[in-house]
Amino acid sequence: MDVCDLSPGYVRAIAPYQPGKPISELERELGLTEIVKLASNENPLGPSPKALAAIQKALPELARYPDGNGFELKAAICRKFNVTMDQVVLGNGSNDVLEMVARAFLAPGIAAVYSQHAFAVYPLAVQAIGAKGIEVPARNYGHDLEAMLEAIDEDTRIVFIANPNNPTGTVVQPAQLLGFLRRVPRTVVVVLDEAYYEYLPQDMKSASPAWIGEFPNLVVTRTFSKAYGLAALRVGFALAQPRIAELMNRVRQPFNVNTLGQVAATAALDDAEFVAKSVALNRAGMMQITTGLIELKLPFIPSYGNFVCFEVGDANAVFQKLLRKGVIVRPVANYGLPQHLRVSVGLESENARFLAALREVLAA
Ligand SMILES: *Cc1c(COP(=O)(O)O)cnc(C)c1O
């Protein structure tokens, strides 16, 4: 018996998050170059030029601690989403704010509800606290809101909704979401994770920042990692009524968002042109990839994000063969989808490399 055996059972039972394979790792392992990584839903255009300029300008300040309040970034978020400073919580990625909600509201014996095939961070955040996770079977790979409502019991304190969901790309219509919010007991926090919000067509975009005024139990989360192209800097945020935001801030690390992240995100938020360009590129790339999948006769789940899940049978074998051709996609067996792979939409040339490699692998 050593100290590690004395770690709580719920910690030792956690299956660690499996990130997309880094390009450098595949280079080391297989000695390949010119690798295409379409595994982590990153922005293929890179960061906004405005963000890069802001980073350059902030470099001499790196010896100083960041602004623990994130004043400038919060002020920019308030202007854009018409909320007040006390309704914003900044995170080291939105992953961080998801964990803050879990720490603020869960405890052993308390439960959180989420969907089958939903984003892996929800069960992770719940398990790390020793709370109870209630996974509700998906419907056509998407959230079954009726079943999720029914799954809420007296121990439930959080419901997580990913909209669009990763890895399935499924979406819930704004009207359905609103109906759901009206029926969830006010004693349950609804976390609406909108990491891919920017990619949604206009009629699918919820007015979620406005909804927090109506629902004192709603937490909306957004990220700078996807359409804003700042995944490496780890910046996300939550919008909620002041009392929830204040509880989340109690469990927040004092300097959780670094200086470069703060200045880059502030600049990126202002760069509507860059986001529009990213969304347009994604739309064209999604068409390119899904057209290719149809030609290859591979079924896929229609996606509203910057990625798509397709069915290939022995997904792990296909994943490994694609790696050997220098193409990194994402296995999703850990999401209960052992026959699927998820590919992120890249540049036109990257999508073409992926489709060509996939064609070769399937023909071999
Ligand atoms: C990528 C992603 C996030 C955010 O990740 P961060 O980089 O931590 O902001 C959150 N939710 C979903 C569903 C995602 O796919």
Side-chain angles (χ1 to χ4, degrees):
M1 173 88 73
D2 70 4
V3 72
C4 294
D5 299 311
L6 295 170
S7 159
Y10 58 80
V11 171
R12 283 178 288 145
I14 292 174
Y17 182 80
Q18 295 170 12
K21 198 177 190 60
I23 291 175
S24 55
E25 187 177 302
L26 187 61
E27 281 174 351
R28 275 197 308 277
E29 286 176 3
L30 297 183
L32 293 173
T33 53
E34 297 192 38
I35 289 165
V36 171
K37 184 190 177 204
L38 299 173
S40 301
N41 303 344
E42 295 145 338
N43 191 326
L45 290 176
S48 136
K50 288 190 180 172
L52 287 179
I55 289 167
Q56 190 64 253
K57 205 169 139 223
L59 286 175
E61 294 158 40
L62 287 185
R64 305 265 175 218
Y65 278 96
D67 173 0
N69 258 323
F71 180 86
E72 294 293 342
L73 176 54
K74 272 194 194 171
I77 290 168
C78 289
R79 284 193 296 273
K80 188 169 174 83
F81 299 102
N82 196 24
V83 294
T84 53
M85 294 291 265
D86 56 0
Q87 294 175 322
V88 183
V89 181
L90 299 181
N92 190 246
S94 57
N95 199 320
D96 191 24
V97 293
L98 294 171
E99 287 186 24
M100 280 183 232
V101 181
R103 285 203 298 277
F105 291 96
L106 300 180
I110 302 296
V113 168
Y114 42 80
S115 175
Q116 182 189 19
H117 312 314
F119 188 42
V121 164
Y122 314 148
L124 275 175
V126 173
Q127 280 170 32
I129 287 160
K132 195 166 62 175
I134 300 176
E135 185 183 286
V136 176
R139 191 168 172 172
N140 293 329
Y141 299 107
H143 290 53
D144 183 343
L145 293 185
E146 280 304 317
M148 292 180 81
L149 266 175
E150 273 169 38
I152 293 173
D153 61 22
E154 64 262 40
D155 298 328
T156 303
R157 220 54 95 236
I158 302 180
V159 180
F160 289 100
I161 307 278
N163 202 48
N165 183 46
N166 169 23
T168 56
T170 52
V171 79
V172 179
Q173 305 276 354
Q176 283 174 278
L177 261 181
L178 206 48
F180 177 78
L181 284 168
R182 296 208 165 106
R183 290 166 67 197
V184 173
R186 295 292 163 99
T187 51
V188 176
V189 175
V190 177
V191 177
L192 182 57
D193 176 352
E194 299 187 314
Y196 301 95
Y197 181 85
E198 294 78 12
Y199 296 106
L200 284 169
Q202 210 52 41
D203 61 332
M204 295 275 205
K205 281 183 171 159
S206 298
S208 44
W211 291 352
I212 64 165
E214 187 179 343
F215 300 100
N217 56 334
L218 175 62
V219 176
V220 174
T221 68
R222 301 279 181 95
T223 184
F224 287 94
S225 300
K226 309 285 161 57
Y228 288 101
L230 296 174
L233 289 178
R234 317 299 308 121
V235 191
F237 61 94
L239 305 177
Q241 287 198 9
R243 289 185 63 213
I244 291 194
E246 200 259 341
L247 280 171
M248 289 173 67
N249 273 316
R250 288 186 198 212
V251 296
R252 183 176 68 84
Q253 275 188 47
F255 302 104
N256 62 330
V257 184
N258 71 77
T259 301
L260 300 185
Q262 289 187 32
V263 299
T266 305
L269 204 55
D270 245 9
D271 197 347
E273 193 187 321
F274 177 80
V275 173
K277 192 171 151 193
S278 304
V279 170
L281 181 79
N282 186 63
R283 200 148 295 161
M286 182 67 83
M287 185 62 81
Q288 182 189 2
I289 288 178
T290 53
T291 302
L293 293 173
I294 289 167
E295 279 168 18
L296 291 168
K297 299 194 165 53
L298 296 175
F300 60 88
I301 307 170
S303 171
Y304 288 86
N306 63 346
F307 54 87
V308 58
C309 266
F310 58 99
E311 203 177 329
V312 278
D314 188 350
N316 190 49
V318 174
F319 169 67
Q320 297 294 343
K321 287 176 189 165
L322 285 172
L323 282 185
R324 267 172 251 141
K325 295 187 181 293
V327 175
I328 312 175
V329 296
R330 189 72 158 268
V332 284
N334 56 325
Y335 284 92
L337 298 165
Q339 311 237 354
H340 286 77
L341 290 173
R342 188 194 73 191
V343 62
S344 306
V345 175
L347 300 172
E348 186 186 5
S349 57
E350 295 173 322
N351 303 334
R353 273 255 335 251
F354 155 71
L355 287 169
L358 184 59
R359 185 170 289 120
E360 286 170 22
V361 163
L362 295 175

